[in-house]
């Protein structure tokens, strides 16, 4: 041990005795071991599920299973493309509707809301997470879907020139209702995380923008949202995970039509819904096909997450992300210039 | 402020403790009994969702004599798999065992025994304003409706079967099951046996590729769908239809008679059918004159020698399973009518009882009925 | 010109233009509409639940076990006591497993492992896990712990399936929150000579506590409402049990069984149970937030 002026007090990091370094070592290696254990567990999970799914892949071939356009249980022919497309459609609708609404609610609660309402509103939105998926499904099919059907039929008739949306018969259970129910289910997650993230924006960033003359909305746009971008995306990814993997609620409101989804207001199917609908009675190859559908879901989540991370990383590199101060400064110049010119 | 928070915490803990206290007092109560058979045992089963309410009812009747029945409604397929894996003491299946499953269960050290327990019918329920119950339909017409070839309620084929009935021109909305189920298997099995076009185009099974119609999940879903949509028709389990007073059709049976799905006509459907050696009966378009043609059965499946097969509950559970089956085939059959399920006809009931009498534990007979 | 009007003129140059004001109002309006849209489904669902479930609530509803006796009238079907207690037991065990592990992994990812390939691998696999349908967790536990070991259903196995479900949520949300703790806080503590572990436990975690509590509550709420993982692992029983290595009832499974019953009284029980579950989570939410607020630094 080198003798430094602070060594005797034991405070110097460099000269600290071994015993004092021990807790740090324990924590570091303990947590590393824990993370390694989790990694091993997850890999083992996939390994076992791949084992269960193998018979289906052997029968159809991996590409044949994923991109085959024919899910026929009776004929024991399993091509999961209609299911995959159905999952994409419903999750897409869920994200398109759910994320903006959730972020708007988070913005309101953190920035615009009167202080007294803040706690109550927060709890109210997060309470949505407490509702069991079965209840979402039943509420969807017995309350929401019938009420929406006339409006959907009207939309389909008026917008019949738009290929995916318009034209055709509107059934009560359909992709759109499923997407809407999913949007409601992911609201609490996305909103809660966005809210937490927005609450940590340093006040100086916000005050700097305001001091430069920004309106409330401009301040939010320049100082809050860019700072929170990666956090919001993280929350959205968790929400997307929920949307992709949600089984029971979707199974109840989507009808069962394993045909390629060509219309928003028609009934359809999704990967997770197929698993929950068919597993109880499935045997043999059918069963392993359902496990294989589960694997397709993992890969899908993987791809979407990877794309999201890329987008966030790129935004951070080009000066977005947490560079709120720079943005505020740049915005201030614009405002000053506009004011000067007015 | 602090007092409020502590108060909230204290209240919550008190609530939890209170519930727990109630819990411990009642769980000790369940082992006391007043009936003759006081051996307490716990048995576990899994399988058919159709049979679940009945098995739970029987379990509740038996709990006063010390037998606890834990039943998982995971579906017939998963139930058989559970029995193969020895995670439950008995399995429950609506369709009779396939050869592969029989062999797999037998691998546990003792052959499989399937015991028919009771029957249920599948009604064709509809929601057409002005149309009362008892609309006469035959297999071909029903098949054409579900194929989508008959599109309105005043179609010529329906008119021909119902002279004198005022049929509206409302379009027909078909509602079918979206999840795999024995009810679908029973319904499509009937259609396949009476309509060659259905058999070749769609076939039968727990899940089929429906040519037309909206899919809803579960009996509740189909029932709800039918009630929500004017002009809708769907196939709904008898217990459901009777309990909720649905409007259902009278279906033509093989003898040419139009029969309503009553409990008597359901039981009659199993009269005179051929019973295979392994009791794997399958009711397909029965010929008895008073039979309701869309009827299906449900089984309890066990190993012949339960202890040798290594069921999780051991010897105590083996005895318990026999007690359960004895009850179900005895007093239990009388309760069925209260629940809107149909009892077995006496010929098959006798065979079931014989099968239960043959159950053993490590070679020693468990002395059934 | 008087001094005040001269400065007024100068200030007028920085006034908000009508266009910007309009955009501001529009955006505010949009945000309020969004918030209303977010709150509306909850109010609709709660109203629906209250309408269908409140009528079933009574003291005996909470203090009697469900009976299988469903065919002889509403008074004999019992309540949901075993389901409530079972859910509490199973979810408590699942939380006890997944919360420390999840936060531990998140701490490691943020504090120690940042940038390493190993950390990227962990994060990658955790991300994938978020998209797994809950039924597959139940099936995995079924295959490994039940069929694989030849043993039977148990409440703790259901808890394991639920903790697998909760783990990615806890890890991911904790990671997001921990990343937002300002580096300056950590650095100043380190500069004062505090060891790493001290910084984590005394500075980082307390600062992040409200956010961590939020993430944990979301995970618990999710787990408490899941049916599929428990259906194949914990097995249903009607009786109250404190034995986690035996069969155990739970609210979602009871709801799932009841909602498909032909008997109306049993279906009503399902709605009463669903309302109970939501209220339980609400209470948990309130209690946890109260505790978190009390133990927050400063």
């Amino acid at each position: 041990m080198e003798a430094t002026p602070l060594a005797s007090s034991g405070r110097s990091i460099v000269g600290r005795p071994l015993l004092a370094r021990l807790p740090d070592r324990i924590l570091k290696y303990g947590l590393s071991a824990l993370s390694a254990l989790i990694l091993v567990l997850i890999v083992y999970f996939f390994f076992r599920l791949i084992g269960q799914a193998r018979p289906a892949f052997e029968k159809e071939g991996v590409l044949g299973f994923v991109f085959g356009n024919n899910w026929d249980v009776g004929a024991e022919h399993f091509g999961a493309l209609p299911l995959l497309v159905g999952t994409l459609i419903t999750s897409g609708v869920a994200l398109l509707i759910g994320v903006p609404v959730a972020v708007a609610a988070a913005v309101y609660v953190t920035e615009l809301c009167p202080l007294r309402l803040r706690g109550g509103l927060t709890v109210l939105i997060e309470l949505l997470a407490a509702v069991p998926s079965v209840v979402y499904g039943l509420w969807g099919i017995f309350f929401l879907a019938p009420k929406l059907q006339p409006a959907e039929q009207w939309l389909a008739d008026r917008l019949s020139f738009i290929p995916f949306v318009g034209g055709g018969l509107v059934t009560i259970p359909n992709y759109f209702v499923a997407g809407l129910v999913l949007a409601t289910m992911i609201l609490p997650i996305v909103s809660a995380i966005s809210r937490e993230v927005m609450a940590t924006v340093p006040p100086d960033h916000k005050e700097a923008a305001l001091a430069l003359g920004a309106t409330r909305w401009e301040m939010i746009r320049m100082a809050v949202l860019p700072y929170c971008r990666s956090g919001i995306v993280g929350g959205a990814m968790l929400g997307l995970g929920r949307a992709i993997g949600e089984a029971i609620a979707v199974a109840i409101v989507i009808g069962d039509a394993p045909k390629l989804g060509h219309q928003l207001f028609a009934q359809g199917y999704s990967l997770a819904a197929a698993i929950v609908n068919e597993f109880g009675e499935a045997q043999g190859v059918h069963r392993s096909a359902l496990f294989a559908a589960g694997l397709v879901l993992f890969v899908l989540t993987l791809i979407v997450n990877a794309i999201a991370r890329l987008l966030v990383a790129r935004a951070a590199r080009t000066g977005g992300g947490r560079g709120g101060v720079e943005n505020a400064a740049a915005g201030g110049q614009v405002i000053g210039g506009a004011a000067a010119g007015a | 402020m602090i007092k409020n928070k502590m108060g909230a915490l204290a209240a919550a803990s008190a609530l939890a403790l209170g519930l727990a206290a109630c819990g411990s007092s009642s769980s000790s109560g369940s082992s006391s009994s007043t009936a003759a058979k006081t051996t307490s045992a716990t048995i576990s089963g899994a399988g058919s969702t159709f049979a679940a309410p009945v098995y739970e009812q029987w379990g509740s009747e038996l709990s006063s004599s010390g037998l606890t029945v834990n039943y998982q409604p995971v579906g017939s397929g998963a139930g058989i798999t559970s029995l193969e894996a020895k995670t439950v003491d008995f399995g429950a299946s609506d369709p009779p065992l396939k050869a592969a499953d029989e062999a797999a269960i037998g691998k546990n050290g003792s052959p499989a025994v399937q015991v028919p327990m009771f029957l249920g019918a599948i009604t064709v329920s509809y929601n057409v304003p002005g149309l009362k119950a008892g609309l006469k339909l035959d297999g071909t017409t029903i098949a054409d409706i579900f194929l989508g070839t008959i599109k309105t309620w005043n179609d010529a084929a329906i008119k021909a079967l119902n002279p004198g009935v005022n049929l509206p021109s409302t379009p027909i909305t078909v509602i079918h099951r979206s999840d795999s189920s024995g009810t679908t298997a029973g319904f499509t099995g009937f259609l396949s046996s009476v309509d060659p076009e259905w058999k070749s185009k769609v076939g039968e099974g727990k899940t089929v590729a429906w040519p037309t119609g909206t899919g809803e999940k579960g009996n509740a879903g189909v029932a709800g769908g039918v009630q929500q949509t004017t002009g809708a028709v769907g196939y709904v389990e008898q217990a459901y239809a009777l309990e909720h007073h649905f409007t259902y059709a009278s279906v033509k049976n093989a003898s040419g008679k139009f029969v309503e799905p009553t409990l008597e006509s359901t039981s009659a459907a199993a009269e005179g059918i051929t019973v295979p050696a392994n009791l794997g009966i399958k009711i397909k378009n029965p010929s008895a004159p008073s039979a309701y043609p869309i009827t299906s059965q449900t089984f309890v499946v066990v190993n012949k020698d339960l202890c040798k097969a290594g069921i999780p509950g051991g010897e105590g559970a083996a005895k318990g399973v026999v007690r359960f089956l004895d009850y179900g085939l005895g007093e239990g059959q009388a309760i069925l009518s209260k629940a809107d399920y149909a009892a077995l006809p006496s010929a098959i009931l006798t065979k079931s009882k014989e099968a239960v009498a043959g159950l053993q534990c490590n070679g020693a007979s468990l002395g059934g009925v | 010109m008087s001094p005040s009007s001269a400065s007024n003129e100068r200030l007028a140059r920085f006034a908000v233009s009508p266009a910007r004001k309009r955009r501001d109002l529009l955006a505010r309006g949009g945000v309020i509409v969004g918030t209303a849209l977010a709150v509306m489904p909850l109010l609709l669902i709660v109203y629906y639940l209250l309408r269908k479930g409140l009528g079933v609530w009574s003291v005996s509803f909470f203090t009697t076990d469900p009976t299988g006796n469903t065919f002889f009238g509403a008074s004999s079907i019992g309540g949901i006591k075993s389901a409530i207690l079972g859910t509490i037991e199973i979810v408590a065990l699942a939380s006890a497993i997944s919360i420390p592990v999840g936060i531990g992994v998140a701490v490691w990812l943020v504090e120690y492992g940042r940038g390493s390939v190993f950390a990227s691998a962990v994060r990658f696999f955790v991300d994938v896990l978020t998209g797994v349908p809950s039924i597959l967790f139940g099936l995995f536990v079924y295959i490994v712990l039940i069929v694989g070991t030849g043993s039977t259903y148990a409440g703790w196995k259901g808890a394991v399936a639920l903790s697998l479900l909760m783990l990615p949520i806890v890890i991911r949300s904790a990671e997001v929150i921990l990343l937002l703790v300002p580096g300056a806080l950590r650095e100043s503590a380190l500069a004062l000579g505090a060891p790493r572990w001290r910084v984590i436990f005394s500075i980082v975690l307390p600062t992040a506590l409200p956010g961590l509590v939020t993430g944990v509550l979301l995970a618990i709420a999710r787990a408490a409402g899941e049916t599929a993982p428990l259906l194949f692992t914990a097995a249903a029983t009607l009786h109250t049990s404190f034995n986690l290595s035996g069969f155990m009832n739970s609210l979602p499974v009871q709801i799932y069984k009841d909602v498909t019953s032909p008997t109306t009284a049993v279906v009503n029980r399902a709605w009463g149970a669903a309302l109970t579950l939501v209220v339980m989570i609400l209470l948990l939410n309130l209690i946890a937030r109260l505790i978190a607020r009390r133990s927050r630094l400063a």
Side-chain angles (χ1 to χ4, degrees):
Chain A
M1 263 179 284
E2 304 99 55
T4 68
L6 295 172
S8 51
S9 70
R11 290 266 187 106
S12 154
I13 297 171
V14 172
R16 207 184 300 156
L18 189 64
L19 205 59
R21 281 204 292 263
L22 206 52
D24 247 350
R25 289 275 173 86
I26 295 176
L27 189 66
K28 178 172 181 186
Y29 293 120
L31 288 182
S32 312
L34 190 65
S35 305
L37 198 67
I38 297 300
L39 190 60
V40 167
L41 179 68
I42 299 177
V43 172
Y44 177 62
F45 176 62
F46 292 152
F47 177 66
R48 284 310 291 257
L49 289 171
I50 291 175
Q52 293 287 318
R54 180 170 292 158
F57 286 133
E58 276 165 9
K59 182 168 197 285
E60 306 281 346
V62 176
L63 284 179
F65 179 82
V66 179
F67 295 111
N69 187 3
N70 184 13
W71 185 266
D72 192 337
V73 176
E76 292 230 323
H77 186 70
F78 301 108
L81 190 64
L83 278 54
L84 179 59
V85 169
T87 299
L88 289 173
I89 296 176
T90 51
S91 316
V93 171
L95 273 188
L96 274 172
I97 299 179
V99 171
V101 171
V103 173
V107 165
Y108 182 74
V109 168
T110 48
E111 299 296 333
L112 300 171
C113 176
L115 211 60
R116 234 172 312 163
L117 287 181
R118 201 164 287 192
L121 216 55
T122 306
V123 169
L124 215 57
I125 295 177
E126 280 167 35
L127 208 53
L128 280 172
V131 180
S133 357
V134 169
V135 173
Y136 270 113
L138 294 172
W139 172 76
I141 196 68
F142 287 133
F143 176 83
L144 193 65
K147 285 213 157 54
L148 283 179
Q149 200 217 6
E152 288 169 350
Q153 188 68 65
W154 182 88
L155 261 178
D157 294 335
R158 288 283 175 284
L159 300 176
S160 54
F161 51 90
I162 303 180
F164 182 59
V165 176
L169 181 66
V170 170
T171 54
I172 289 184
N174 59 48
Y175 286 114
F176 180 69
V177 175
L180 208 56
V181 170
L182 283 176
T184 314
M185 292 172 94
I186 71 172
L187 266 175
I189 303 177
V190 182
S191 173
I193 294 190
S194 306
R195 182 183 47 78
E196 289 294 340
V197 163
M198 284 180 201
T200 62
V201 174
D204 350 330
H205 291 204
K206 298 196 279 190
E207 284 159 19
L210 288 172
L212 288 166
T215 63
R216 203 81 206 226
W217 168 244
E218 281 162 354
M219 180 270 287
I220 294 174
R221 198 172 39 120
M222 290 190 305
V224 175
L225 289 179
Y227 185 88
C228 304
R229 192 198 318 254
S230 50
I232 293 179
V233 171
M237 285 301 106
L238 266 181
L240 180 68
R242 177 88 199 260
I244 286 181
E246 178 54 46
I248 287 186
V250 174
I252 296 178
V253 296
I254 204 170
D256 161 29
K259 301 183 187 77
L260 209 55
H262 56 281
Q263 207 205 323
L264 187 60
F265 297 120
Q267 51 187 345
Y269 218 9
S270 81
L271 288 163
I275 298 176
V276 95
N277 267 340
E278 299 174 13
F279 196 84
E281 303 290 342
Q283 288 170 297
V285 184
H286 185 194
R287 190 175 220 193
S288 81
L290 294 175
F291 278 110
L295 275 174
V296 173
L297 279 169
F298 309 154
V299 175
L300 187 63
T301 317
L302 208 136
I303 294 175
V304 173
N305 265 285
I307 295 176
R309 277 193 199 283
L310 267 167
L311 287 173
V312 170
R314 186 138 49 104
R317 267 201 301 274
T318 55
R322 286 158 70 176
V325 178
E326 295 90 318
N327 283 347
Q333 281 181 337
V334 171
I335 294 167
Chain B
M1 277 299 270
I2 295 180
K3 277 201 188 125
N4 277 346
K5 290 171 191 173
M6 291 316 288
L9 198 54
S13 329
L15 187 65
L17 280 173
L19 281 177
C22 292
S24 43
S25 62
S26 95
S27 56
S28 59
S30 63
S31 53
S32 71
S33 58
T34 49
K37 288 196 176 129
T38 56
T39 41
S40 74
T42 306
I43 64 175
S44 61
S48 156
T49 44
F50 161 68
V54 175
Y55 296 155
E56 296 215 329
Q57 180 71 38
W58 288 346
S60 136
E61 304 287 337
L62 286 167
S63 62
S64 54
S65 62
L67 183 65
T68 306
V69 180
N70 292 324
Y71 184 76
Q72 291 283 80
V74 287
S76 303
I80 295 304
T81 315
S82 292
L83 186 66
E84 287 169 10
K86 290 188 281 188
T87 54
V88 286
D89 301 319
F90 69 90
S93 168
D94 297 336
L97 287 175
K98 289 200 273 246
D101 291 322
E102 247 187 296
I105 297 174
K107 280 211 188 78
N108 287 338
S110 170
V113 172
Q114 45 189 341
V115 183
M117 298 302 292
F118 60 94
L119 305 168
I122 301 169
T123 67
V124 180
S125 296
Y126 49 87
N127 173 13
V128 185
L131 213 51
K132 285 202 287 275
L135 185 72
K136 296 197 172 85
L137 295 172
D138 66 3
T140 320
T141 316
I142 300 175
D144 285 336
I145 292 176
F146 278 83
L147 278 170
T149 21
I150 294 184
K151 296 193 205 293
T152 55
W153 283 102
N154 61 354
D155 187 279
I158 305 180
K159 262 207 186 121
L161 294 168
N162 294 278
V165 177
N166 197 1
L167 296 166
S169 58
T170 328
I172 301 182
T173 310
V174 168
I175 315 251
H176 56 79
R177 289 284 284 269
S178 64
D179 48 329
S180 273
S181 91
T183 316
T184 303
F187 184 65
T188 51
F190 166 72
L191 291 179
S192 290
S193 66
V194 296
D195 190 68
E197 196 191 351
W198 179 272
K199 189 169 177 159
S200 62
K201 277 203 181 137
V202 185
E204 62 178 292
K206 292 180 189 164
T207 314
V208 297
W210 297 93
T212 182
T214 308
E216 301 271 2
K217 185 160 160 57
N219 267 305
V222 174
V226 169
Q227 284 177 319
Q228 280 169 352
T229 318
T230 323
V233 64
Y235 59 95
V236 180
E237 213 182 273
Q238 181 183 36
Y240 232 94
L242 290 176
E243 167 86 15
H244 294 275
H245 309 291
F246 283 176
T247 332
Y248 39 76
S250 296
V251 183
K252 191 172 181 187
N253 66 13
S255 306
K257 288 212 160 69
F258 290 93
V259 184
E260 268 195 21
T262 63
L263 296 180
E264 293 75 28
S265 61
T266 309
S267 297
E271 273 166 25
I273 60 172
T274 31
V275 182
N278 67 356
L279 296 189
I281 57 174
K282 196 158 183 196
I283 303 176
K284 254 199 164 131
N285 203 17
S287 52
S290 55
Y292 179 75
I294 322 180
T295 302
S296 57
Q297 65 293 315
T298 189
F299 303 90
V300 164
V301 184
V302 285
N303 295 88
K304 191 174 167 83
D305 190 326
L306 292 109
C307 306
K308 193 158 158 221
I311 57 174
E315 190 173 331
K319 296 202 177 113
V321 170
V322 172
R323 260 169 72 194
F324 176 69
L325 292 172
D326 283 342
Y327 180 82
L329 294 171
E331 290 166 48
Q333 297 282 308
I335 293 184
L336 287 172
S337 59
K338 272 231 165 65
D340 293 329
Y341 291 92
L344 293 169
S346 48
I348 300 187
L349 188 61
T350 316
K351 291 214 160 69
S352 293
K353 287 182 179 173
E354 279 168 17
V356 174
L359 294 177
Q360 301 171 331
C361 178
N362 286 325
S365 167
L366 284 164
V369 185
Chain C
M1 240 186 302
S2 58
S4 54
S5 57
S7 57
N8 278 350
E9 251 194 39
R10 265 204 305 276
L11 284 170
R13 294 198 304 173
F14 294 101
V16 180
S17 74
R20 284 170 57 210
K21 208 174 216 143
R22 219 178 321 127
R23 248 176 284 147
D24 183 60
L25 278 172
L26 217 63
R28 279 191 203 231
V31 165
I32 291 179
V33 167
T35 310
L37 282 176
V39 172
M40 204 170 58
L42 177 76
L43 294 175
L44 287 172
I45 293 179
V46 168
Y47 172 67
Y48 193 66
L49 275 175
L50 281 171
R51 197 180 64 186
K52 297 194 85 121
L54 197 56
V56 196
W57 275 20
S58 66
V59 176
S60 66
F61 184 67
F62 296 110
T63 54
T64 45
D65 285 340
T67 68
N69 192 353
T70 55
F71 300 140
F72 293 104
S75 56
S76 57
I77 65 172
I80 54 170
K81 185 180 72 168
S82 59
I84 296 176
L85 289 172
T87 288
I88 294 177
E89 292 170 61
I90 295 180
V91 173
L93 181 58
S95 306
I97 299 173
S98 62
I99 294 175
V101 171
I103 295 188
V105 174
V107 165
W108 183 82
L109 280 174
V110 171
E111 303 291 331
Y112 292 106
R114 236 196 283 207
S116 73
V117 175
F118 181 34
S120 304
V122 172
R123 195 177 289 116
F124 173 87
F125 279 107
V126 168
D127 272 346
V128 179
L129 217 55
T130 61
V132 174
S134 53
I135 190 173
L136 285 174
F137 291 122
L139 293 176
F140 170 66
V141 173
Y142 180 67
I143 292 169
V144 172
L145 287 179
I146 295 180
V147 175
T149 58
S151 56
T152 184
Y153 302 108
W156 69 266
K157 295 179 189 173
V160 168
L162 283 185
S163 63
L164 284 176
L165 179 69
M166 292 170 72
L167 208 55
I169 303 176
V170 175
I171 295 177
R172 203 66 173 84
S173 61
E175 194 197 349
V176 167
I177 300 298
L178 287 172
L179 277 172
L180 283 164
V181 174
L185 275 180
R186 291 189 185 87
E187 285 154 19
S188 45
L190 287 169
L192 288 169
R196 206 66 191 270
W197 67 269
R198 198 68 197 281
V199 175
I200 293 174
F201 281 105
S202 304
I203 309 284
V204 176
L205 285 179
T207 312
L209 190 68
L212 292 176
V213 166
T214 301
V216 161
L217 284 174
L218 283 173
I220 293 180
R222 172 85 194 270
E226 284 288 341
T227 316
L230 295 177
L231 206 53
F232 293 98
T233 53
T237 173
L238 297 173
H239 311 271
T240 301
S241 159
F242 292 100
N243 179 14
L244 277 163
S245 51
F247 292 17
M248 189 158 279
N249 201 2
S250 60
L251 277 169
V253 172
Q254 186 70 45
I255 295 172
Y256 181 75
K257 287 196 309 185
D258 284 349
V259 113
T260 53
S261 164
T263 313
T264 316
V266 176
V267 175
N268 291 341
R269 181 172 71 188
W271 289 105
L275 185 61
T276 309
L277 186 60
V278 173
V279 169
M280 273 172 64
I281 304 291
L282 171 64
L283 287 174
L284 178 67
N285 229 296
L286 293 173
I287 295 174
R289 286 193 194 283
L290 282 175
I291 298 178
R293 209 176 297 161
R294 277 199 75 206
S295 54
R296 192 178 184 166
L297 276 184

